[in-house]
mmCIF file with all atom_site columns, all heavy atoms in Angstrom:
data_model
loop_
_atom_site.group_PDB
_atom_site.id
_atom_site.type_symbol
_atom_site.label_atom_id
_atom_site.label_alt_id
_atom_site.label_comp_id
_atom_site.label_asym_id
_atom_site.label_entity_id
_atom_site.label_seq_id
_atom_site.pdbx_PDB_ins_code
_atom_site.Cartn_x
_atom_site.Cartn_y
_atom_site.Cartn_z
_atom_site.occupancy
_atom_site.B_iso_or_equiv
_atom_site.pdbx_formal_charge
_atom_site.auth_seq_id
_atom_site.auth_comp_id
_atom_site.auth_asym_id
_atom_site.auth_atom_id
_atom_site.pdbx_PDB_model_num
ATOM 1   N N   . LEU F 1 208 ? -8.456  61.391 34.630 1.00 83.00 ? 497 LEU F N   1
ATOM 2   C CA  . LEU F 1 208 ? -8.025  60.077 35.041 1.00 83.00 ? 497 LEU F CA  1
ATOM 3   C C   . LEU F 1 208 ? -7.047  59.575 34.048 1.00 83.00 ? 497 LEU F C   1
ATOM 4   O O   . LEU F 1 208 ? -6.043  58.809 34.411 1.00 83.00 ? 497 LEU F O   1
ATOM 5   C CB  . LEU F 1 208 ? -9.315  59.163 35.119 1.00 83.00 ? 497 LEU F CB  1
ATOM 6   C CG  . LEU F 1 208 ? -10.277 59.440 36.223 1.00 83.00 ? 497 LEU F CG  1
ATOM 7   C CD1 . LEU F 1 208 ? -11.462 58.523 36.133 1.00 83.00 ? 497 LEU F CD1 1
ATOM 8   C CD2 . LEU F 1 208 ? -9.591  59.393 37.552 1.00 83.00 ? 497 LEU F CD2 1
ATOM 9   N N   . ASN F 1 250 ? -5.961  43.190 41.751 1.00 91.00 ? 539 ASN F N   1
ATOM 10  C CA  . ASN F 1 250 ? -6.957  44.193 42.198 1.00 91.00 ? 539 ASN F CA  1
ATOM 11  C C   . ASN F 1 250 ? -6.573  45.620 41.751 1.00 91.00 ? 539 ASN F C   1
ATOM 12  O O   . ASN F 1 250 ? -7.379  46.361 41.349 1.00 91.00 ? 539 ASN F O   1
ATOM 13  C CB  . ASN F 1 250 ? -7.097  44.172 43.735 1.00 91.00 ? 539 ASN F CB  1
ATOM 14  C CG  . ASN F 1 250 ? -7.961  42.895 44.261 1.00 91.00 ? 539 ASN F CG  1
ATOM 15  O OD1 . ASN F 1 250 ? -8.741  42.370 43.426 1.00 91.00 ? 539 ASN F OD1 1
ATOM 16  N ND2 . ASN F 1 250 ? -7.611  42.462 45.367 1.00 91.00 ? 539 ASN F ND2 1
ATOM 17  N N   . GLU F 1 251 ? -5.260  45.907 41.825 1.00 89.00 ? 540 GLU F N   1
ATOM 18  C CA  . GLU F 1 251 ? -4.820  47.240 41.417 1.00 89.00 ? 540 GLU F CA  1
ATOM 19  C C   . GLU F 1 251 ? -5.094  47.403 39.963 1.00 89.00 ? 540 GLU F C   1
ATOM 20  O O   . GLU F 1 251 ? -5.561  48.535 39.490 1.00 89.00 ? 540 GLU F O   1
ATOM 21  C CB  . GLU F 1 251 ? -3.327  47.463 41.712 1.00 89.00 ? 540 GLU F CB  1
ATOM 22  C CG  . GLU F 1 251 ? -2.803  48.737 41.284 1.00 89.00 ? 540 GLU F CG  1
ATOM 23  C CD  . GLU F 1 251 ? -1.276  48.902 41.525 1.00 89.00 ? 540 GLU F CD  1
ATOM 24  O OE1 . GLU F 1 251 ? -0.720  47.927 42.223 1.00 89.00 ? 540 GLU F OE1 1
ATOM 25  O OE2 . GLU F 1 251 ? -0.744  49.940 41.148 1.00 89.00 ? 540 GLU F OE2 1
ATOM 26  N N   . LEU F 1 252 ? -4.796  46.379 39.126 1.00 87.00 ? 541 LEU F N   1
ATOM 27  C CA  . LEU F 1 252 ? -5.104  46.504 37.724 1.00 87.00 ? 541 LEU F CA  1
ATOM 28  C C   . LEU F 1 252 ? -6.561  46.705 37.330 1.00 87.00 ? 541 LEU F C   1
ATOM 29  O O   . LEU F 1 252 ? -6.910  47.538 36.458 1.00 87.00 ? 541 LEU F O   1
ATOM 30  C CB  . LEU F 1 252 ? -4.527  45.257 36.930 1.00 87.00 ? 541 LEU F CB  1
ATOM 31  C CG  . LEU F 1 252 ? -3.010  45.152 36.931 1.00 87.00 ? 541 LEU F CG  1
ATOM 32  C CD1 . LEU F 1 252 ? -2.655  43.734 36.429 1.00 87.00 ? 541 LEU F CD1 1
ATOM 33  C CD2 . LEU F 1 252 ? -2.228  46.161 36.265 1.00 87.00 ? 541 LEU F CD2 1
ATOM 34  N N   . VAL F 1 253 ? -7.397  45.885 38.040 1.00 88.00 ? 542 VAL F N   1
ATOM 35  C CA  . VAL F 1 253 ? -8.871  46.031 37.824 1.00 88.00 ? 542 VAL F CA  1
ATOM 36  C C   . VAL F 1 253 ? -9.394  47.402 38.259 1.00 88.00 ? 542 VAL F C   1
ATOM 37  O O   . VAL F 1 253 ? -10.069 48.120 37.470 1.00 88.00 ? 542 VAL F O   1
ATOM 38  C CB  . VAL F 1 253 ? -9.554  44.936 38.632 1.00 88.00 ? 542 VAL F CB  1
ATOM 39  C CG1 . VAL F 1 253 ? -11.112 45.157 38.589 1.00 88.00 ? 542 VAL F CG1 1
ATOM 40  C CG2 . VAL F 1 253 ? -9.262  43.559 38.132 1.00 88.00 ? 542 VAL F CG2 1
ATOM 41  N N   . ASN F 1 254 ? -8.882  47.966 39.425 1.00 87.00 ? 543 ASN F N   1
ATOM 42  C CA  . ASN F 1 254 ? -9.278  49.264 39.825 1.00 87.00 ? 543 ASN F CA  1
ATOM 43  C C   . ASN F 1 254 ? -8.805  50.389 38.852 1.00 87.00 ? 543 ASN F C   1
ATOM 44  O O   . ASN F 1 254 ? -9.577  51.366 38.637 1.00 87.00 ? 543 ASN F O   1
ATOM 45  C CB  . ASN F 1 254 ? -8.679  49.589 41.221 1.00 87.00 ? 543 ASN F CB  1
ATOM 46  C CG  . ASN F 1 254 ? -9.335  48.634 42.328 1.00 87.00 ? 543 ASN F CG  1
ATOM 47  O OD1 . ASN F 1 254 ? -10.493 48.278 42.157 1.00 87.00 ? 543 ASN F OD1 1
ATOM 48  N ND2 . ASN F 1 254 ? -8.558  48.481 43.457 1.00 87.00 ? 543 ASN F ND2 1
ATOM 49  N N   . ASN F 1 255 ? -7.660  50.296 38.279 1.00 84.00 ? 544 ASN F N   1
ATOM 50  C CA  . ASN F 1 255 ? -7.178  51.189 37.327 1.00 84.00 ? 544 ASN F CA  1
ATOM 51  C C   . ASN F 1 255 ? -8.028  51.191 36.054 1.00 84.00 ? 544 ASN F C   1
ATOM 52  O O   . ASN F 1 255 ? -8.304  52.290 35.567 1.00 84.00 ? 544 ASN F O   1
ATOM 53  C CB  . ASN F 1 255 ? -5.777  50.923 36.935 1.00 84.00 ? 544 ASN F CB  1
ATOM 54  C CG  . ASN F 1 255 ? -4.770  51.245 38.071 1.00 84.00 ? 544 ASN F CG  1
ATOM 55  O OD1 . ASN F 1 255 ? -5.084  52.064 38.972 1.00 84.00 ? 544 ASN F OD1 1
ATOM 56  N ND2 . ASN F 1 255 ? -3.523  50.614 38.009 1.00 84.00 ? 544 ASN F ND2 1
ATOM 57  N N   . ARG F 1 256 ? -8.528  50.111 35.647 1.00 83.00 ? 545 ARG F N   1
ATOM 58  C CA  . ARG F 1 256 ? -9.319  49.955 34.464 1.00 83.00 ? 545 ARG F CA  1
ATOM 59  C C   . ARG F 1 256 ? -10.728 50.600 34.791 1.00 83.00 ? 545 ARG F C   1
ATOM 60  O O   . ARG F 1 256 ? -11.309 51.351 33.944 1.00 83.00 ? 545 ARG F O   1
ATOM 61  C CB  . ARG F 1 256 ? -9.537  48.543 34.080 1.00 83.00 ? 545 ARG F CB  1
ATOM 62  C CG  . ARG F 1 256 ? -8.272  47.801 33.583 1.00 83.00 ? 545 ARG F CG  1
ATOM 63  C CD  . ARG F 1 256 ? -7.841  48.179 32.196 1.00 83.00 ? 545 ARG F CD  1
ATOM 64  N NE  . ARG F 1 256 ? -8.711  47.639 31.137 1.00 83.00 ? 545 ARG F NE  1
ATOM 65  C CZ  . ARG F 1 256 ? -8.620  47.673 29.874 1.00 83.00 ? 545 ARG F CZ  1
ATOM 66  N NH1 . ARG F 1 256 ? -7.493  48.290 29.365 1.00 83.00 ? 545 ARG F NH1 1
ATOM 67  N NH2 . ARG F 1 256 ? -9.425  47.228 29.060 1.00 83.00 ? 545 ARG F NH2 1
ATOM 68  N N   . GLU F 1 257 ? -11.266 50.344 35.907 1.00 84.00 ? 546 GLU F N   1
ATOM 69  C CA  . GLU F 1 257 ? -12.433 50.924 36.309 1.00 84.00 ? 546 GLU F CA  1
ATOM 70  C C   . GLU F 1 257 ? -12.445 52.472 36.370 1.00 84.00 ? 546 GLU F C   1
ATOM 71  O O   . GLU F 1 257 ? -13.362 53.158 35.975 1.00 84.00 ? 546 GLU F O   1
ATOM 72  C CB  . GLU F 1 257 ? -12.982 50.344 37.710 1.00 84.00 ? 546 GLU F CB  1
ATOM 73  C CG  . GLU F 1 257 ? -13.375 48.817 37.620 1.00 84.00 ? 546 GLU F CG  1
ATOM 74  C CD  . GLU F 1 257 ? -13.771 48.297 38.971 1.00 84.00 ? 546 GLU F CD  1
ATOM 75  O OE1 . GLU F 1 257 ? -13.416 48.936 40.010 1.00 84.00 ? 546 GLU F OE1 1
ATOM 76  O OE2 . GLU F 1 257 ? -14.368 47.273 38.980 1.00 84.00 ? 546 GLU F OE2 1
ATOM 77  N N   . LYS F 1 258 ? -11.415 52.989 37.058 1.00 83.00 ? 547 LYS F N   1
ATOM 78  C CA  . LYS F 1 258 ? -11.203 54.422 37.188 1.00 83.00 ? 547 LYS F CA  1
ATOM 79  C C   . LYS F 1 258 ? -11.098 55.096 35.806 1.00 83.00 ? 547 LYS F C   1
ATOM 80  O O   . LYS F 1 258 ? -11.691 56.173 35.558 1.00 83.00 ? 547 LYS F O   1
ATOM 81  C CB  . LYS F 1 258 ? -10.017 54.808 38.072 1.00 83.00 ? 547 LYS F CB  1
ATOM 82  C CG  . LYS F 1 258 ? -10.179 54.417 39.471 1.00 83.00 ? 547 LYS F CG  1
ATOM 83  C CD  . LYS F 1 258 ? -8.897  54.793 40.192 1.00 83.00 ? 547 LYS F CD  1
ATOM 84  C CE  . LYS F 1 258 ? -8.942  54.395 41.680 1.00 83.00 ? 547 LYS F CE  1
ATOM 85  N NZ  . LYS F 1 258 ? -7.747  54.696 42.360 1.00 83.00 ? 547 LYS F NZ  1
ATOM 86  N N   . ALA F 1 259 ? -10.470 54.413 34.866 1.00 78.00 ? 548 ALA F N   1
ATOM 87  C CA  . ALA F 1 259 ? -10.208 54.984 33.605 1.00 78.00 ? 548 ALA F CA  1
ATOM 88  C C   . ALA F 1 259 ? -11.510 54.801 32.661 1.00 78.00 ? 548 ALA F C   1
ATOM 89  O O   . ALA F 1 259 ? -11.569 55.409 31.624 1.00 78.00 ? 548 ALA F O   1
ATOM 90  C CB  . ALA F 1 259 ? -9.050  54.369 32.874 1.00 78.00 ? 548 ALA F CB  1
ATOM 91  N N   . GLY F 1 260 ? -12.511 53.976 33.108 1.00 78.00 ? 549 GLY F N   1
ATOM 92  C CA  . GLY F 1 260 ? -13.754 53.777 32.360 1.00 78.00 ? 549 GLY F CA  1
ATOM 93  C C   . GLY F 1 260 ? -13.435 53.023 31.082 1.00 78.00 ? 549 GLY F C   1
ATOM 94  O O   . GLY F 1 260 ? -14.130 53.201 30.118 1.00 78.00 ? 549 GLY F O   1
ATOM 95  N N   . GLU F 1 261 ? -12.400 52.223 31.130 1.00 76.00 ? 550 GLU F N   1
ATOM 96  C CA  . GLU F 1 261 ? -11.926 51.451 29.883 1.00 76.00 ? 550 GLU F CA  1
ATOM 97  C C   . GLU F 1 261 ? -12.710 50.181 29.892 1.00 76.00 ? 550 GLU F C   1
ATOM 98  O O   . GLU F 1 261 ? -12.860 49.484 30.944 1.00 76.00 ? 550 GLU F O   1
ATOM 99  C CB  . GLU F 1 261 ? -10.528 51.405 29.779 1.00 76.00 ? 550 GLU F CB  1
ATOM 100 C CG  . GLU F 1 261 ? -9.720  52.655 29.633 1.00 76.00 ? 550 GLU F CG  1
ATOM 101 C CD  . GLU F 1 261 ? -8.241  52.431 29.578 1.00 76.00 ? 550 GLU F CD  1
ATOM 102 O OE1 . GLU F 1 261 ? -7.800  51.328 29.762 1.00 76.00 ? 550 GLU F OE1 1
ATOM 103 O OE2 . GLU F 1 261 ? -7.478  53.388 29.516 1.00 76.00 ? 550 GLU F OE2 1
ATOM 104 N N   . LEU F 1 262 ? -13.047 49.728 28.692 1.00 77.00 ? 551 LEU F N   1
ATOM 105 C CA  . LEU F 1 262 ? -13.814 48.543 28.533 1.00 77.00 ? 551 LEU F CA  1
ATOM 106 C C   . LEU F 1 262 ? -12.863 47.535 27.700 1.00 77.00 ? 551 LEU F C   1
ATOM 107 O O   . LEU F 1 262 ? -12.127 47.957 26.850 1.00 77.00 ? 551 LEU F O   1
ATOM 108 C CB  . LEU F 1 262 ? -15.162 48.710 27.887 1.00 77.00 ? 551 LEU F CB  1
ATOM 109 C CG  . LEU F 1 262 ? -16.101 49.466 28.679 1.00 77.00 ? 551 LEU F CG  1
ATOM 110 C CD1 . LEU F 1 262 ? -17.422 49.663 27.911 1.00 77.00 ? 551 LEU F CD1 1
ATOM 111 C CD2 . LEU F 1 262 ? -16.474 48.733 30.016 1.00 77.00 ? 551 LEU F CD2 1
ATOM 112 N N   . PRO F 1 263 ? -12.883 46.256 27.919 1.00 81.00 ? 552 PRO F N   1
ATOM 113 C CA  . PRO F 1 263 ? -13.710 45.524 28.990 1.00 81.00 ? 552 PRO F CA  1
ATOM 114 C C   . PRO F 1 263 ? -12.945 45.689 30.283 1.00 81.00 ? 552 PRO F C   1
ATOM 115 O O   . PRO F 1 263 ? -11.744 45.755 30.358 1.00 81.00 ? 552 PRO F O   1
ATOM 116 C CB  . PRO F 1 263 ? -13.743 44.105 28.501 1.00 81.00 ? 552 PRO F CB  1
ATOM 117 C CG  . PRO F 1 263 ? -12.436 43.979 27.747 1.00 81.00 ? 552 PRO F CG  1
ATOM 118 C CD  . PRO F 1 263 ? -12.211 45.267 27.034 1.00 81.00 ? 552 PRO F CD  1
ATOM 119 N N   . ILE F 1 264 ? -13.801 45.525 31.465 1.00 79.00 ? 553 ILE F N   1
ATOM 120 C CA  . ILE F 1 264 ? -13.103 45.604 32.785 1.00 79.00 ? 553 ILE F CA  1
ATOM 121 C C   . ILE F 1 264 ? -13.030 44.210 33.178 1.00 79.00 ? 553 ILE F C   1
ATOM 122 O O   . ILE F 1 264 ? -13.907 43.419 33.202 1.00 79.00 ? 553 ILE F O   1
ATOM 123 C CB  . ILE F 1 264 ? -14.081 46.314 33.751 1.00 79.00 ? 553 ILE F CB  1
ATOM 124 C CG1 . ILE F 1 264 ? -14.225 47.833 33.341 1.00 79.00 ? 553 ILE F CG1 1
ATOM 125 C CG2 . ILE F 1 264 ? -13.574 46.207 35.148 1.00 79.00 ? 553 ILE F CG2 1
ATOM 126 C CD1 . ILE F 1 264 ? -15.225 48.650 34.128 1.00 79.00 ? 553 ILE F CD1 1
ATOM 127 N N   . PRO F 1 265 ? -11.790 43.780 33.363 1.00 83.00 ? 554 PRO F N   1
ATOM 128 C CA  . PRO F 1 265 ? -11.526 42.396 33.865 1.00 83.00 ? 554 PRO F CA  1
ATOM 129 C C   . PRO F 1 265 ? -12.159 42.053 35.271 1.00 83.00 ? 554 PRO F C   1
ATOM 130 O O   . PRO F 1 265 ? -12.325 42.986 36.043 1.00 83.00 ? 554 PRO F O   1
ATOM 131 C CB  . PRO F 1 265 ? -9.983  42.324 33.921 1.00 83.00 ? 554 PRO F CB  1
ATOM 132 C CG  . PRO F 1 265 ? -9.522  43.728 34.102 1.00 83.00 ? 554 PRO F CG  1
ATOM 133 C CD  . PRO F 1 265 ? -10.481 44.584 33.404 1.00 83.00 ? 554 PRO F CD  1
ATOM 134 N N   . VAL F 1 266 ? -12.436 40.846 35.488 1.00 81.00 ? 555 VAL F N   1
ATOM 135 C CA  . VAL F 1 266 ? -13.130 40.386 36.782 1.00 81.00 ? 555 VAL F CA  1
ATOM 136 C C   . VAL F 1 266 ? -12.165 39.434 37.381 1.00 81.00 ? 555 VAL F C   1
ATOM 137 O O   . VAL F 1 266 ? -11.656 38.511 36.770 1.00 81.00 ? 555 VAL F O   1
ATOM 138 C CB  . VAL F 1 266 ? -14.403 39.706 36.569 1.00 81.00 ? 555 VAL F CB  1
ATOM 139 C CG1 . VAL F 1 266 ? -15.039 39.179 37.789 1.00 81.00 ? 555 VAL F CG1 1
ATOM 140 C CG2 . VAL F 1 266 ? -15.411 40.616 35.760 1.00 81.00 ? 555 VAL F CG2 1
#
Side-chain angles (χ1 to χ4, degrees):
L497 293 177
N539 284 334
E540 181 183 354
L541 293 174
V542 172
N543 291 333
N544 287 340
R545 297 281 290 186
E546 289 178 344
K547 290 178 181 178
E550 298 180 357
L551 296 176
I553 297 176
V555 177

